[in-house]
Amino acid sequence: MSPGHPSKVIETMFASPGSSLVLVALATLLSEASGFALGPAMLARSSRSASLRGGAPAAASLRMASREVIVEADVDAVGKRLCAMVEEAAGKAIKERGSFSLAIPGGSILKMLKGLQGKSSIEWDKSTMAYVNHRCVALDDETSTHFKARPLFLDSWMEQGLKVITLEGTTDAPKEAAAYAAAMKALPASTLDVVGGFPAFDLMLIGVGLDGHVGSLYPDSPAVAEQKESVISVVKPSSSSISLSMPVMKASKRIVIASAGKSDKYPLGKAEGMVRALEAEETVNSFPACAFREGATWILDEGAAALLKTK
């Protein structure tokens, strides 16, 4: 945890997505006594075994198998934590190999990233950014994620040297998907690594819809099951888009999922969605976000975490 963010850590183990949560009480007690890792979950020493409800600190962290769930007080705190993780990942990548690759979605995460507008510790001239998904519209269309991101933070990043992989600005989704995949493939491995034949970003930021969609991978759609292509086209009568495929999302060196606040689209917040993503009996096809039950960091506000059992 970063300085100034006191937290409690409750260690748990999860079986595979779709199975029920199993609290490993004995393992937690043993870990508190010894501090050793036990089994597939790295059971670290817990500062206190207490409920996250009532009297909780500013942030609470629940490490579940190979994932971590961080609960912050509100959407502003989630945004600050997210920005800190972007800075951390950038510093680590640039120190290790001289460059940083980042993928961002649209939606509420755009507002969170405003915290990195202007000066930060990130060397943007050594960084490359792509979109997790993007509508197939002109880049200056008001529904374009690129258009929305520019005044919030992207203009300042580009002024400092950030290279952005953009769409060509057409409505032809298959053409845009092919061009986007080619643009990523053309980058040297020193800029965008490749793992198992797929681009591997240093940091993948993901938002989750109430129906469980990630990027433009919607429940019960062929796009969720795509295992060969890096970028897929999602054609709809109203608005087509492109999206990174699930293998690309999961190939990332670090995956951070943020869910916080309420909006016109989600007036009740995403508490029910977080239960389906993290605890309920779901499949990747029925609720795509549950593909990240392991191997990701989840940052939630108290509202989004309100219905989770582990609190």
Side-chain angles (χ1 to χ4, degrees), residues 41-57:
M42 298 302 291
L43 300 175
R45 193 173 302 167
S46 174
S47 60
R48 204 178 299 142
S49 85
S51 169
L52 300 183
R53 180 184 296 167

Side-chain angles (χ1 to χ4, degrees), residues 92-108:
K92 182 175 184 292
I94 291 171
K95 181 179 180 180
E96 290 178 351
R97 57 188 189 85
S99 66
F100 173 54
S101 56
L102 168 70
I104 70 167
S108 60

Side-chain angles (χ1 to χ4, degrees), residues 192-201 227-230 245 247-248 250-253:
L192 181 58
D193 206 354
V194 177
V195 174
F198 293 103
F201 287 86
Q227 295 294 313
K228 294 182 180 180
E229 301 297 331
S230 295
S245 64
V248 174
K250 300 203 71 168
S252 303
K253 296 172 185 177

Side-chain angles (χ1 to χ4, degrees), residues 158-169:
M158 291 191 295
E159 288 168 3
Q160 296 173 70
L162 173 72
K163 296 172 283 293
V164 182
I165 306 174
T166 61
L167 280 72
E168 295 180 350

Side-chain angles (χ1 to χ4, degrees), residues 4-229:
H5 289 273
S7 63
K8 301 188 192 117
V9 180
I10 299 176
E11 302 301 339
T12 64
M13 287 178 62
F14 270 87
S16 59
S19 63
S20 60
L21 170 67
V22 180
L23 292 174
V24 189
L26 178 58
T28 304
L29 291 174
L30 289 173
S31 69
E32 288 176 348
S34 65
F36 291 125
L38 182 62
M42 298 302 291
L43 300 175
R45 193 173 302 167
S46 174
S47 60
R48 204 178 299 142
S49 85
S51 169
L52 300 183
R53 180 184 296 167
S61 173
L62 297 81
R63 191 174 299 278
M64 303 171 183
S66 59
R67 78 165 181 261
E68 182 179 33
V69 177
I70 299 171
V71 181
E72 294 281 3
D74 53 33
V75 64
D76 290 337
V78 170
K80 288 179 182 178
R81 179 61 68 96
L82 181 73
C83 288
M85 288 185 174
V86 175
E87 288 190 289
E88 178 187 5
K92 182 175 184 292
I94 291 171
K95 181 179 180 180
E96 290 178 351
R97 57 188 189 85
S99 66
F100 173 54
S101 56
L102 168 70
I104 70 167
S108 60
I109 288 180
L110 294 181
K111 293 181 180 179
M112 296 180 190
L113 290 173
K114 187 178 180 180
L116 290 174
Q117 184 184 43
K119 292 184 178 180
S120 70
S121 66
I122 300 173
E123 297 178 79
W124 290 116
D125 60 327
K126 298 178 181 178
S127 306
T128 301
M129 191 197 85
Y131 291 106
V132 176
N133 63 312
H134 199 288
R135 289 189 178 189
C136 294
V137 294
L139 294 181
D140 60 356
D141 187 283
E142 63 180 11
T143 66
S144 159
T145 297
H146 187 74
F147 178 81
K148 293 176 182 178
R150 289 190 61 180
L152 291 173
F153 58 86
L154 192 55
D155 279 345
S156 72
W157 294 3
M158 291 191 295
E159 288 168 3
Q160 296 173 70
L162 173 72
K163 296 172 283 293
V164 182
I165 306 174
T166 61
L167 280 72
E168 295 180 350
T170 75
T171 58
D172 188 335
K175 178 183 176 182
E176 290 284 7
Y180 211 78
M184 290 195 296
K185 189 175 182 179
L187 295 173
S190 59
T191 298
L192 181 58
D193 206 354
V194 177
V195 174
F198 293 103
F201 287 86
D202 292 308
L203 180 61
M204 176 76 56
L205 302 182
I206 296 176
V208 178
L210 196 58
D211 63 355
H213 76 265
V214 289
S216 294
L217 309 184
Y218 290 88
D220 301 315
S221 70
V224 177
E226 175 58 53
Q227 295 294 313
K228 294 182 180 180
E229 301 297 331

